[in-house]
Amino acid sequence: MKFSLKKSLLCGLMLTVVQSVTYAADSASLEFATGNKTKMLRAGAQWTWDEQWYKSNGTHIGGYWDATLASWQGNNYQGSGAKQNIVDAGITPVFRLQNDNKKGAYAEAGIGLHMLSDIYDNNGRKFSTNFQFGDHIGVGYVLANGWDLAVKIQHYSNGGVKHPNPGVNYAVVKAGLAF
């Protein structure tokens, strides 16, 4: 059985994500996203940072590591109307402006690393690399029982590493639960 370098790297990243989940994650999430005739379903595990920066008036900037595994389904592969299925493994440091008790409203932003199983080529947007940066901004609310509900805008791009670099944007809905 012959493995390409990109598939070997993707397998290694996925194994790292799966192994990391066994190290007492602080929360888990499920996300649904859509954009550019593509739907995404993503599961994640998060590890909260102990650091609190710029504490003021009951708020601070904190953050977490977000390890994710996603399935993308494009509905216009190479402009033909066919489907394209891609697996995405990623790791993202996320900064969050939140209340000191970590409940209530928050705003967050992050830029992470993602490896796609195949080159994305959907609805007139063809990536040139499997490696992508995934950045997002979002707002959400953490309920008293630990449920975290959020909306985000996510952008994937290789950051100009190789051209073409059209990028793709997603509107994301997230539900998470802190343990």
Side-chain angles (χ1 to χ4, degrees), residues 106 108 136-141 149-153 171-174:
Y106 66 83
E108 68 177 29
H136 78 268
I137 58 170
V139 294
Y141 195 90
L149 306 173
V151 293
K152 304 189 282 189
I153 300 295
V172 183
V173 177
K174 171 186 167 183

Side-chain angles (χ1 to χ4, degrees), residues 120-143:
Y120 178 83
D121 185 358
N122 191 69
N123 201 39
R125 292 185 182 268
K126 182 177 181 180
F127 291 179
S128 57
T129 63
N130 295 69
F131 168 77
Q132 299 291 308
F133 293 102
D135 53 346
H136 78 268
I137 58 170
V139 294
Y141 195 90
V142 178
L143 303 170

